[in-house]
Amino acid sequence: MINTMECAVDAQSLISISLRKIHNSRTQRGGIKLHKNLLVSYVLRNARQVYMNEKYAEIYRMQQYEEVMTVCNEIQELNPLDLAEDCEEQSGDCCGNDGVSEPASLCCALLPVSHLTAVQSAHIQAPSACSAPLSLQSDDVCKETEPSFYRSCCAEAYPVSNWDFSTVNNNLHCNKTTVLDLDTHVVTTVENGYLHQDCCASFQQCCQGAQSPAKKRKVDFEYYISDIEEVPDFTPCKRAKFEDCSYANSEHLDTSNISNLISIFGSGFSGLVSRQADFEQALNGQFCSKQALASLGAWTRAIVAF
Amino acid sequence: VVGAGGGSNDVQWCFSQVKGAIDDDVAEADIISTVEFNHSGELLATGDKGGRVVIFQQEIENKPQCRSEYNVYSTFQSHEPEFDYLKSLEIEEKINKIRWLPQKNAAQFLLSTNDKTIKLWKISERDKRPEGYNLKEEDGRYIDPNTVTALRVPVFRPMDLMVEASPRRVFANAHTYHINSISINSDHETYLSADDLRINLWHQEITDRSFNIVDIKPANMEELTEVITAAEFHPHQCNTFVYSSSKGTIRLCDMRASALCDTHSKLFEEPEDPSNRSFFSEIISSISDVKFSHNGRYMMTRDYLSVKIWDLNMESRPVETYQVHEYLRNKLCSLYENDCIFDKFECCWNGNDSVVMTGSYNNFFRMFDRGQRRDVTLEASREGSKPQQVLKPRKVCADGKRKKDEISVDSLDFNKKILHTAWHPQDNVIAVATTNNLYIFQDKVN
């Protein structure tokens, strides 16, 4: 009988079911059925993509929570009054959200972790480079975006084309979040758990292919990218250049600019990446026990290569 | 109720016969794997997993009140299990397809194929035998010539009808992958056979060679993205054939264009609806059957959830789409787990191309009347099997509000599936194969 709890099946169980099918097919009478195994490999690929994205998002969320707490502590040290004025100026620009009033203290406006998810900033067709608006969005919007991010089951769609991080060409619907690292003053872009360092091979491709959700940027922001004016969109490619010269660029910064940036981002940071290396280490730690997933590519190839 | 003809001549489908074992314990060898009427409809062939072919013949009835019945005409073992020693693989004897050749003389010919080998069988009748040999007794013992005192001329005497099946040709060793289709050309001389990656063209008389006309095997098998799932010759144009793929595309090829038809003349493909995207999108878009209409203007494809009618002149999308069991879309996870999602349903046209039919689960089968835009769900079961009993339309309830006589999706028996159906080329007679039974339904004769 059919299980009525269809949507309870997650990507991981699909992966194990698929691998079991492939394994069993080797002992079936009549030899391996090429057609069936090819179809199973497609399910495997789809489930793997979703699983990996979920994993990335989870790590990202955990990282982000820690960073937010760190930032919060740092913000506590700043003058709350200066920040409040800036906030009121910027509030109207931030994602056009209506109902949220800017708190006097940015720190107080830090929203609970549940809102600070790595949900796509596609909603943020923002006039500012404000990635934080995500946190200022209504609950409904957040909830709405999360299900569409990845749906584990049959009935509902999920953006497969976005989640192929084996290529860099599927960035047409990149959902990017712009974040500021207050430690290094590096502005980075993260794509919902899909770290763009994975596509570092060809940033130009990313730039050209991607639709930018952050076309209208605050003027304040642009001095950061003074040496990249030719690229209109804030896309992952900038990160490469930032990496190259980010620490050199940090000399441009002064205290007033920092405060502007903080005000732009408002009270919520949808994601922060402190150290590239740290993040990668975290990832590796997560996945060292999941080598089977990493080698799934080889698996799927192996079953058809006969 | 849906049927051939239109308007007021609604067909009422009645039970006629059921063939096969009654008990629920199904022997695997008896599972029916293919069903096919011959060109006149007088003969109905079935193949099973055990490699057997059973042919039924329609008796000519003198009574106008009821239709003729189909009775067993011939039974023979077409294929046996084989072993490929080189690959250490067993080759199943299951009959994948049967196709009848157009009749040229008193004998009937059909092609039957398993995964690797195609055989041409001659089915002939013998109703007389020679008697009166001089040197042989009636039982076959030889007579001592010295005892013969007089000579006589042997004569033919009538005998009980005997139907003999003999293999006339064996077309072997041409397919590396599993054969899924055979199709006889309208030139009455050649036929094609298709496996997962290649299509070969044969001459009916020549067994030691075939021509490869389609090859989609990539240089590096790791780059494999699609396989061939079905192929068929055009009913009138001997140069044209189509093949469907696991990606949901159909390619029409013209053999006049080049020797190797890797490049298609037409590509039929409907863009995927992104809102329906799921883990299983690739599986449910894979085409399991393709059939030309009798008039050669259309072709029909079957994927897991739907039947599509394509106009050969329009490649961008089908002209008609019929949902067979859309209520299964939310169940794809479970259907994947129990392997039902890999079931390959076939489809067929009626004689005048006005109605199409295909199978579903719970021993349901569906008919779609193209002209009247109506569809019906019927059931093949022993419960509705009194002679001339009219079949009652069935309805599956997708949501929780089940009405009387409706069946909820969760009550469907997914072990009872109708994969193979066939429609008589002229009359409203259909053959529907459940797991191990063959049902014959006819329209009500008044």
Side-chain angles (χ1 to χ4, degrees):
Chain A
M1 291 296 118
I2 294 296
N3 182 5
T4 52
M5 298 295 292
E6 291 298 322
C7 290
V9 176
D10 61 358
Q12 195 168 2
S13 70
L14 268 183
I15 289 169
S16 56
I17 291 169
S18 303
L19 291 174
R20 202 182 322 131
K21 284 188 194 295
I22 292 172
H23 176 76
N24 290 340
S25 75
R26 290 167 190 250
T27 54
Q28 269 173 3
R29 199 168 164 250
I32 297 177
K33 292 180 174 35
L34 184 61
H35 183 199
K36 181 178 176 184
N37 278 279
L38 182 67
L39 297 178
V40 169
S41 74
Y42 275 117
V43 175
L44 198 55
R45 182 200 68 171
N46 296 340
R48 174 177 173 253
Q49 284 175 350
V50 170
Y51 177 85
M52 300 289 255
N53 294 335
E54 286 177 8
K55 271 290 171 207
Y56 272 124
E58 195 183 305
I59 294 164
Y60 187 66
R61 278 195 293 273
M62 282 163 47
Q63 278 279 328
Q64 169 193 283
Y65 177 72
E66 290 169 11
E67 293 296 336
V68 162
M69 296 315 294
T70 310
V71 166
C72 186
N73 295 333
E74 291 177 6
I75 289 171
Q76 295 268 11
E77 300 162 16
L78 299 173
N79 186 347
L81 290 175
D82 291 338
L83 294 169
E85 287 171 13
D86 289 335
C87 268
E88 282 161 17
E89 287 172 26
Q90 304 298 337
S91 63
D93 301 324
C94 269
C95 295
N97 68 77
D98 304 322
V100 183
S101 56
E102 289 295 318
S105 161
L106 285 172
C107 191
C108 301
L110 273 175
L111 293 176
V113 176
S114 60
H115 285 258
L116 301 170
T117 61
V119 182
Q120 55 271 38
S121 57
H123 288 284
I124 309 175
Q125 302 292 335
S128 72
C130 180
S131 63
L134 191 62
S135 62
L136 301 174
Q137 289 171 358
S138 66
D139 285 2
D140 289 341
V141 174
C142 278
K143 283 171 193 164
E144 184 186 309
T145 55
E146 279 195 28
S148 66
F149 179 77
Y150 39 79
R151 296 177 190 180
S152 69
C153 189
C154 10
E156 300 178 24
Y158 71 103
V160 175
S161 59
N162 300 350
W163 308 119
D164 183 359
F165 37 65
S166 59
T167 79
V168 298
N169 292 323
N170 294 338
N171 285 331
L172 292 177
H173 306 286
C174 271
N175 300 309
K176 293 182 282 292
T177 306
T178 307
V179 299
L180 166 70
D181 182 340
L182 285 182
D183 291 332
T184 62
H185 305 141
V186 171
V187 181
T188 62
T189 306
V190 182
E191 292 158 20
N192 296 311
Y194 172 9
L195 293 181
H196 54 272
Q197 73 253 24
D198 292 331
C199 67
C200 60
S202 54
F203 276 120
Q204 288 307 314
Q205 270 178 298
C206 287
C207 297
Q208 286 148 17
Q211 295 168 10
S212 169
K215 279 200 162 109
K216 301 170 201 168
R217 237 186 329 280
K218 275 279 173 206
V219 174
D220 302 294
F221 202 65
E222 282 183 358
Y223 78 91
Y224 260 121
I225 51 174
S226 54
D227 55 342
I228 320 175
E229 279 100 1
E230 70 277 9
V231 182
D233 302 328
F234 199 79
T235 58
C237 65
K238 296 195 179 40
R239 190 178 179 286
K241 304 203 180 183
F242 266 95
E243 285 232 292
D244 292 337
C245 53
S246 60
Y247 296 100
N249 282 342
S250 63
E251 293 146 12
H252 297 286
L253 302 177
D254 56 27
T255 316
S256 62
N257 291 326
I258 293 173
S259 61
N260 279 338
L261 283 166
I262 292 167
S263 61
I264 287 167
F265 284 120
S267 58
F269 292 84
S270 56
L272 286 172
V273 178
S274 58
R275 291 282 183 273
Q276 185 66 14
D278 289 347
F279 203 100
E280 281 174 2
Q281 270 182 11
L283 272 179
N284 290 337
Q286 283 286 328
F287 285 104
C288 65
S289 58
K290 309 271 187 207
Q291 287 168 6
L293 281 167
S295 64
L296 271 179
W299 259 105
T300 56
R301 287 193 293 274
I303 59 108
V304 292
F306 67 92
Chain B
V1 181
V2 172
S8 55
N9 294 337
D10 282 350
V11 173
Q12 285 190 297
W13 290 100
C14 308
F15 171 81
S16 175
Q17 295 169 277
V18 59
K19 309 286 188 190
I22 297 174
D23 54 56
D24 289 334
D25 193 19
V26 179
E28 188 161 335
D30 292 337
I31 295 174
I32 297 172
S33 51
T34 185
V35 181
E36 187 82 354
F37 279 101
N38 77 335
H39 295 275
S40 65
E42 184 200 356
L43 298 175
L44 175 61
T46 62
D48 63 25
K49 257 192 137 181
R52 230 172 30 143
V53 171
V54 180
I55 301 175
F56 303 91
Q57 185 191 40
Q58 192 178 29
E59 302 288 340
I60 312 293
E61 292 281 338
N62 291 324
K63 306 168 227 173
Q65 267 68 38
C66 60
R67 289 277 178 132
S68 316
E69 286 199 337
Y70 283 83
N71 298 316
V72 176
Y73 180 64
S74 173
T75 303
F76 57 92
Q77 188 72 29
S78 172
H79 287 73
E80 298 275 4
E82 287 174 59
F83 199 79
D84 182 337
Y85 294 98
L86 202 61
K87 293 181 189 168
S88 290
L89 286 179
E90 192 179 3
I91 301 168
E92 274 191 287
E93 68 276 28
K94 173 170 75 89
I95 308 297
N96 293 335
K97 283 288 177 342
I98 289 173
R99 290 288 183 262
W100 290 94
L101 268 64
Q103 191 172 10
K104 286 181 195 170
N105 51 38
Q108 301 278 356
F109 289 86
L110 61 80
L111 286 174
S112 70
T113 184
N114 69 348
D115 284 339
K116 296 287 185 184
T117 304
I118 306 140
K119 294 186 182 178
L120 176 69
W121 287 89
K122 176 181 178 184
I123 297 104
S124 50
E125 293 180 357
R126 188 194 293 271
D127 59 0
K128 38 186 179 291
R129 65 166 178 222
E131 286 179 10
Y133 282 109
N134 293 291
L135 294 175
K136 221 165 41 169
E137 299 277 13
E138 294 302 326
D139 57 8
R141 280 182 303 143
Y142 281 99
I143 297 173
D144 181 0
N146 299 322
T147 64
V148 175
T149 55
L151 288 178
R152 56 184 176 172
V153 177
V155 291
F156 276 109
R157 296 225 188 273
M159 58 177 267
D160 290 338
L161 178 66
M162 197 167 74
V163 180
E164 297 173 322
S166 58
R168 306 301 287 182
R169 304 274 188 275
V170 177
F171 305 90
N173 303 319
H175 286 280
T176 308
Y177 301 96
H178 294 138
I179 296 174
N180 52 57
S181 309
I182 47 175
S183 177
I184 295 166
N185 202 346
S186 53
D187 66 4
H188 297 182
E189 283 189 354
T190 56
Y191 73 93
L192 64 77
S193 58
D195 67 26
D196 291 319
L197 296 178
R198 299 192 179 99
I199 301 178
N200 293 333
L201 182 70
W202 301 84
H203 192 282
Q204 291 169 16
E205 299 293 328
I206 300 168
T207 60
D208 61 354
R209 98 189 74 119
S210 68
F211 292 99
N212 176 248
I213 51 176
V214 173
D215 188 340
I216 65 167
K217 184 178 177 184
N220 182 2
M221 275 298 273
E222 293 183 359
E223 292 161 4
L224 181 74
T225 56
E226 65 179 329
V227 297
I228 297 169
T229 53
E232 193 176 59
F233 266 119
H234 191 277
H236 311 309
Q237 296 166 15
C238 57
N239 54 288
T240 305
F241 66 93
V242 293
Y243 68 93
S244 59
S245 86
S246 55
K247 275 193 169 174
T249 63
I250 309 102
R251 287 172 175 80
L252 184 141
C253 300
D254 186 337
M255 293 195 292
R256 298 171 300 185
S258 69
L260 196 59
C261 299
D262 281 357
T263 312
H264 52 263
S265 300
K266 294 193 183 186
L267 175 68
F268 298 83
E269 187 176 17
E270 184 176 29
E272 188 193 346
D273 180 2
S275 67
N276 277 336
R277 182 87 199 138
S278 77
F279 287 114
F280 311 104
S281 293
E282 287 84 2
I283 300 186
I284 64 171
S285 64
S286 176
I287 292 174
S288 53
D289 195 16
V290 64
K291 292 266 174 41
F292 277 105
S293 62
H294 290 95
N295 60 19
R297 285 184 52 200
Y298 300 95
M299 65 178 175
M300 164 167 56
T301 57
R302 176 72 154 97
D303 51 67
Y304 190 64
L305 295 179
S306 69
V307 161
K308 295 179 182 174
I309 312 284
W310 302 78
D311 186 325
L312 293 187
N313 296 318
M314 186 165 78
E315 301 166 58
S316 55
R317 64 179 190 280
V319 289
E320 295 154 38
T321 302
Y322 301 103
Q323 300 302 330
V324 181
H325 35 221
E326 181 68 13
Y327 47 79
L328 294 184
R329 194 179 285 275
N330 293 332
K331 311 292 181 193
L332 295 178
C333 270
S334 301
L335 294 166
Y336 178 71
E337 283 184 69
N338 63 18
D339 270 2
C340 283
I341 206 173
F342 301 105
D343 288 335
K344 294 185 185 168
F345 292 95
E346 294 175 5
C347 53
C348 60
W349 298 84
N350 75 336
N352 61 12
D353 300 330
S354 62
V355 184
V356 297
M357 173 168 65
T358 189
S360 179
Y361 293 103
N362 209 67
N363 281 348
F364 288 170
F365 59 100
R366 302 262 282 140
M367 288 185 187
F368 302 95
D369 189 322
R370 303 172 61 212
Q372 298 186 24
R373 304 303 252 171
R374 286 193 304 183
D375 61 88
V376 69
T377 305
L378 301 172
E379 183 179 358
S381 79
R382 298 245 174 202
E383 283 155 14
S385 58
K386 295 195 196 87
Q388 300 301 312
Q389 182 178 359
V390 175
L391 293 181
K392 199 172 118 184
R394 296 275 181 239
K395 193 138 167 40
V396 177
C397 162
D399 53 32
K401 307 160 198 167
R402 192 176 74 88
K403 299 195 191 86
K404 182 173 171 275
D405 288 343
E406 283 187 359
I407 297 166
S408 76
V409 180
D410 296 325
S411 305
L412 296 174
D413 188 344
F414 289 86
N415 292 319
K416 293 183 178 172
K417 53 193 84 170
I418 291 177
L419 304 175
H420 312 286
T421 59
W423 206 309
H424 190 285
Q426 280 104 37
D427 301 334
N428 276 335
V429 178
I430 55 174
V432 173
T434 60
T435 307
N436 65 332
N437 285 164
L438 183 72
Y439 285 79
I440 299 171
F441 301 106
Q442 299 177 0
D443 62 348
K444 194 173 177 64
V445 179
N446 291 319

